[in-house]
């Protein structure tokens, strides 16, 4: 009997570790819609033309060329989101300060890499892109910063944004918070080999925190694609993978099959047709309704409670206030989940729905989120 104890313990450990580092594959049909997409790294920048990285000009140029946009966001001293890769402003702006030490107003007075371009405000970028191309947002969070506050600020803006968005971060706490607070957003774990870094950093390369974050995709340095951590994720657990940073077509050909989509810079890749999902999302039992409600429905937190209830019960769609005091919604789910959503809203103390105007609409198999519109 004793001779079986050690093998059994080893088997249990293998199973536990396997469960801990496996990605979240339940939404593969959704993430697969991004297969074949090219994201311009920090926008389609070209400093020789006066277009620096993470600038409004770089984002406008990416939209013009039809590429997706990868950008970085980080918190300022006054809890706003600036679009900037480095925490230090030395490389981009030439001053010995950190982004989180200055207010957004102070940051807007600086220029990028000797050009006339200034540091973008995140919501201004969202307004400019306006859903024309997909966004891949890297959320920065160094030691000492509150990742929960960062996620709350991020989702405040994204909840009202009407466009395709992927969110990624090296910080598993960011993804864990998103999983709990905004499960509808697709999230990705950034990683690399972390050469020369301490052991706790190397754990990131092994995706040891996936059991908390449950990422929908991994985003890995292309030059580290032969590393064991990536091999396990990509080929054993079949993780959907982004490769960064692609700089030439020769590397793309060498890495073909290792990654599903790319973050690129320094050249213009030839965009390929998007790879279609293997099978369409099942909509059996789903309905979609356009609803206008009247009563005590504005100024009482109706939209907030609608958004929270929709996330809780898996309802998608949108909600917005009308100029005449009513609220308009489109909701998609089963009859039961939509009823549960409205029951939750009506249970709020100050909300009183006196009338509903309802009409049926065709379902949308490509909708996965619930948004607040303005």
């Amino acid at each position: 009997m004793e001779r079986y104890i050690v093998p059994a313990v080893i088997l249990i450990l293998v199973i536990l570790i396997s469960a801990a580092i496996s990605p979240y594959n339940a939404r593969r049909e959704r993430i697969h819609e991004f297969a074949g997409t090219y994201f311009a790294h920090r926008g389609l920048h070209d400093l020789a033309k006066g277009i620096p990285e993470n600038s409004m000009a770089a984002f406008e140029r990416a939209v013009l060329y039809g590429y997706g946009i990868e950008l970085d966001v980080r918190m300022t001293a006054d809890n706003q989101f600036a679009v900037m890769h480095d925490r230090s402003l030395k490389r981009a702006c030439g001053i010995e300060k950190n982004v989180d030490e200055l207010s957004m107003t102070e940051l807007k007075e600086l220029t990028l890499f000797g050009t006339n371009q200034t540091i973008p405000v995140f919501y201004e970028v969202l307004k400019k892109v306006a859903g024309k191309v997909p966004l891949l947002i890297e959320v920065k969070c160094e030691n000492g910063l509150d990742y929960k506050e960062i996620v709350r600020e991020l989702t405040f803006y994204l909840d009202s944004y009407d466009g395709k968005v992927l969110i990624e971060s090296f910080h598993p706490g960011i993804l864990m918070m998103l999983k709990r607070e905004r499960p509808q957003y697709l999230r990705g774990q950034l990683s690399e080999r972390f050469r020369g870094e301490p052991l706790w950093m190397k754990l990131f390369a092994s995706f040891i925190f996936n059991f908390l974050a449950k990422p929908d995709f991994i985003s890995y340095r292309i030059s580290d694609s032969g590393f064991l951590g990536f091999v396990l994720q990509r080929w054993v657990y079949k993780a959907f993978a982004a490769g960064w940073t692609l700089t030439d077509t020769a590397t793309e050909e060498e890495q073909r099959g290792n990654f599903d989509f790319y973050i690129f810079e320094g050249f213009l890749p030839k965009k390929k047709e998007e790879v279609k999902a293997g099978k369409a999302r099942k909509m059996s039992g789903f309905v979609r309704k356009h609803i206008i409600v009247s009563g005590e429905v504005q100024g009482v937190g109706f939209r907030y409670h609608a958004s929270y209830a929709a996330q809780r019960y898996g309802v998608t769609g949108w909600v917005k206030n009308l100029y005449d005091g009513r609220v308009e919604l489109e909701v998609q789910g089963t009859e039961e989940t939509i009823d549960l959503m409205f029951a939750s809203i009506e249970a709020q103390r100050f909300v009183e729905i006196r009338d509903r105007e309802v009409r049926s609409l065709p379902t949308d198999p490509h909708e996965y989120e619930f948004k607040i519109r303005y």
Side-chain angles (χ1 to χ4, degrees):
M1 182 67 179
E2 292 182 357
R3 64 178 178 174
Y4 297 110
I5 294 177
V6 173
V9 170
I10 293 174
L11 178 60
I12 291 171
L13 287 174
V14 169
I15 293 172
L16 290 175
I17 293 172
S18 175
I21 67 175
S22 62
Y24 184 59
N25 286 324
R27 303 193 289 191
R28 287 192 64 83
E29 84 290 343
R30 181 180 172 192
I31 189 66
H32 205 75
E33 291 188 358
F34 291 89
T37 303
Y38 289 85
F39 291 89
H41 188 225
R42 305 176 196 172
L44 197 58
H45 57 89
D46 187 340
L47 193 55
K49 296 180 179 178
I51 305 175
E53 66 181 57
N54 274 330
S55 67
M56 198 65 79
F59 303 143
E60 290 172 349
R61 187 167 180 244
V63 170
L64 179 64
Y65 278 77
Y67 292 112
I69 296 171
E70 185 270 349
L71 57 86
D72 309 276
V73 294
R74 55 176 63 252
M75 193 79 84
T76 65
D78 56 345
N79 293 332
Q80 296 192 56
F81 264 136
V83 180
M84 172 68 70
H85 178 269
D86 301 355
R87 186 180 193 182
S88 170
L89 292 161
K90 179 65 176 177
R91 183 178 68 92
C93 304
I95 67 169
E96 297 287 352
K97 289 282 187 180
N98 291 331
V99 173
D100 49 89
E101 294 174 335
L102 299 179
S103 69
M104 196 69 239
T105 300
E106 292 171 318
L107 289 168
K108 290 296 288 183
E109 294 176 354
L110 306 175
T111 56
L112 295 167
F113 297 95
T115 70
N116 62 356
Q117 292 288 305
T118 59
I119 298 172
V121 184
F122 181 52
Y123 75 80
E124 291 178 347
V125 176
L126 295 179
K127 185 177 179 180
K128 177 63 69 172
V129 176
K132 299 182 184 73
V133 296
L135 295 176
L136 176 58
I137 302 168
E138 180 181 345
V139 185
K140 298 290 189 179
C141 180
E142 284 84 7
N143 292 339
L145 298 180
D146 185 349
Y147 71 87
K148 295 181 180 178
E149 180 62 30
I150 288 173
V151 170
R152 282 191 288 267
E153 188 71 14
L154 175 72
T155 55
F156 174 80
Y157 293 109
L158 289 183
D159 283 350
S160 59
Y161 179 70
D162 193 12
K164 291 184 177 181
V165 171
L166 298 173
I167 305 171
E168 64 180 10
S169 182
F170 280 103
H171 196 307
I174 295 286
L175 306 184
M176 181 180 65
M177 184 75 171
L178 282 169
K179 174 178 174 288
R180 184 170 69 242
E181 298 294 328
R182 293 295 190 278
Q184 69 267 37
Y185 289 121
L186 292 169
R187 56 192 180 271
Q189 180 66 62
L190 270 161
S191 191
E192 57 176 301
R193 193 169 182 175
F194 293 111
R195 296 174 180 84
E197 298 292 343
L199 177 61
W200 69 269
M201 285 292 291
K202 291 182 181 297
L203 291 175
F204 284 88
S206 300
F207 299 91
I208 197 66
F209 299 106
N210 276 5
F211 73 101
L212 294 172
K214 287 300 179 185
D216 297 286
F217 67 98
I218 60 172
S219 188
Y220 216 79
R221 186 191 294 274
I222 288 175
S223 59
D224 290 338
S225 62
F227 185 60
L228 179 60
F230 176 81
V231 171
L232 284 172
Q233 291 294 308
R234 180 61 171 163
W235 303 116
V236 176
Y237 297 112
K238 308 298 182 183
F240 196 86
W244 55 275
T245 303
L246 185 67
T247 57
D248 56 73
T249 54
T251 303
E252 180 185 6
E253 290 301 318
E254 291 173 3
Q255 296 288 338
R256 188 171 301 283
N258 284 341
F259 300 95
D260 296 289
F261 63 93
Y262 294 97
I263 302 158
F264 74 93
E265 71 176 3
F267 78 116
L268 297 179
K270 183 179 179 182
K271 297 193 293 295
K272 300 174 176 60
E273 290 186 11
E274 290 186 4
V275 180
K276 301 301 180 185
K279 51 185 178 181
R281 183 186 181 197
K282 295 179 180 178
M283 300 301 290
S284 176
F286 276 56
V287 296
R288 186 178 186 87
K289 298 180 179 182
H290 178 269
I291 304 174
I292 295 180
V293 297
S294 57
E296 296 297 326
V297 293
Q298 287 198 24
V300 291
F302 185 99
R303 290 176 300 172
Y304 167 80
H305 292 300
S307 177
Y308 182 83
Q311 293 160 31
R312 181 178 180 183
Y313 296 113
V315 175
T316 63
W318 52 265
V319 59
K320 73 174 182 179
N321 285 344
L322 297 177
Y323 70 92
D324 59 2
R326 298 182 299 169
V327 173
E328 181 181 17
L329 308 92
E330 281 192 14
V331 291
Q332 179 169 280
T334 65
E335 292 282 3
E336 180 184 8
T337 56
I338 292 173
D339 287 344
L340 287 170
M341 172 186 167
F342 271 92
S344 178
I345 297 170
E346 291 180 283
Q348 304 307 312
R349 181 178 178 185
F350 299 107
V351 175
E352 182 182 353
I353 299 175
R354 299 194 189 103
D355 188 44
R356 296 189 206 180
E357 300 174 22
V358 183
R359 62 185 175 89
S360 297
L361 298 171
T363 55
D364 180 359
H366 300 290
E367 181 183 76
Y368 298 89
E369 300 167 357
F370 190 90
K371 297 283 191 177
I372 298 176
R373 291 185 176 178
Y374 296 92

